[in-house]
Amino acid sequence: METLLTSYSPAAWTALLATGVLIGLLAGLLGVGGGVVAVPILLEIFEFMGIPTSLAVSLAVGTAQASILIASTTAAAAHWRAGTIDRELVRSWLPALMVGAMIGLAVGPFAPSWVLTSLFAVIAAALAVKMAAGDRLIIGHQQPQGRLALMPPTLVGGLAAAVGVGGGTLSTPVLTLFSFSIKRAIGAGALFNLVIAVPATLVFLLMDLNTPGRPADALGDVALFCVATLSLPALFVAPVAARWSTRAPVSLLRRLFAFCLAVIAVRLLLR
């Protein structure tokens, strides 16, 4: 136990706890998975510990996904109690979203990282413009029907799982393209984060089990002490932020989501 505790510096623990607070805020307030925040922090910590970059990347993504899983549980529960999760939407999106997530998890390790991050950055930037424009920029007043209805959730699940972010990061702005209520889209996004994080976490727990050079707390590509430190503040912050989300003005939520997407796009492009 002492070895595990001393593996990380006090500065690392402080950074992880602060990141956990931000993960909880994003998950509850905007239904956004905190992977885009956690991954760069974890990369800095792992590389400072001397872990090779090739191993640090998968370890950071796996640890972030496990943290999203825990944070999204309380955020989704809070949105469910508040009645902001549209059950019909969840039923229509869930099968294709899960298929897309499995495709993304299978393809992600083999695709060049710069291709995935560049694609995600461009999409995030475009969706940021849409969120800032509000109802002035929509595709239609209802979601696609028939087979076309499977495309949005499949693409959202696949890209989110491949890049290592929560499903709500993309699902909320995509849904607003079809005039869907942003508050209900945020509630659904909190649940979609959970849906993608479950299989992603299981996959990363089984990866690189016998690979040397990982921290002492790693199980597969998930650093368990880091997960606990990220998740502890998120567990308390996410439900409070979810309650704020249900009462916040729609215009404020749109601006915050647009800003969040713009930051994500810039960070990925400069990576």
Side-chain angles (χ1 to χ4, degrees), residues 27 31 72 75-77 79-80 85-87 90-91 94 97 167-168 185-197:
S72 297
H79 279 286
W80 186 273
I85 295 181
D86 190 305
R87 300 186 185 188
V90 171
R91 283 194 295 268
L94 203 54
L97 187 78
I186 287 173
L191 184 60
F192 294 154
N193 289 335
L194 184 61
V195 169
I196 292 178

Side-chain angles (χ1 to χ4, degrees), residues 239-271:
V240 176
R243 289 194 291 273
W244 291 347
S245 179
T246 61
R247 297 192 294 267
V250 169
S251 59
L252 175 62
L253 291 175
R254 288 189 186 278
R255 293 191 188 100
L256 287 174
F257 215 114
F259 176 75
C260 182
L261 287 171
V263 170
I264 290 172
V266 171
R267 189 192 73 80
L268 290 176
L269 288 173
L270 297 178
R271 184 177 175 180

Side-chain angles (χ1 to χ4, degrees), residues 26 57 89 94 145 150 163 166 180 185 205-206 212 218 232 240 245 261:
L26 290 173
V57 171
L89 169 68
L94 203 54
Q145 302 297 314
L150 301 176
V163 178
F180 201 85
L205 282 169
L206 298 174
L232 184 61
V240 176
S245 179
L261 287 171

Side-chain angles (χ1 to χ4, degrees), residues 112-207:
S113 59
W114 69 269
V115 172
L116 292 175
T117 54
S118 298
L119 176 62
F120 191 91
V122 170
I123 293 175
L127 291 175
V129 173
K130 186 272 169 269
M131 293 301 289
D135 294 335
R136 290 171 293 176
L137 183 59
I138 61 173
I139 293 177
H141 293 286
Q142 63 178 6
Q143 293 189 68
Q145 302 297 314
R147 292 185 178 180
L148 285 177
L150 301 176
M151 289 182 61
T154 302
L155 292 174
V156 166
L159 190 54
V163 178
V165 300
T169 307
L170 291 177
S171 67
T172 296
V174 167
L175 284 167
T176 61
L177 283 171
F178 302 100
S179 302
F180 201 85
S181 162
I182 186 172
K183 291 194 175 184
R184 291 190 174 274
I186 287 173
L191 184 60
F192 294 154
N193 289 335
L194 184 61
V195 169
I196 292 178
V198 169
T201 300
L202 292 174
V203 168
F204 281 104
L205 282 169
L206 298 174
M207 290 176 63

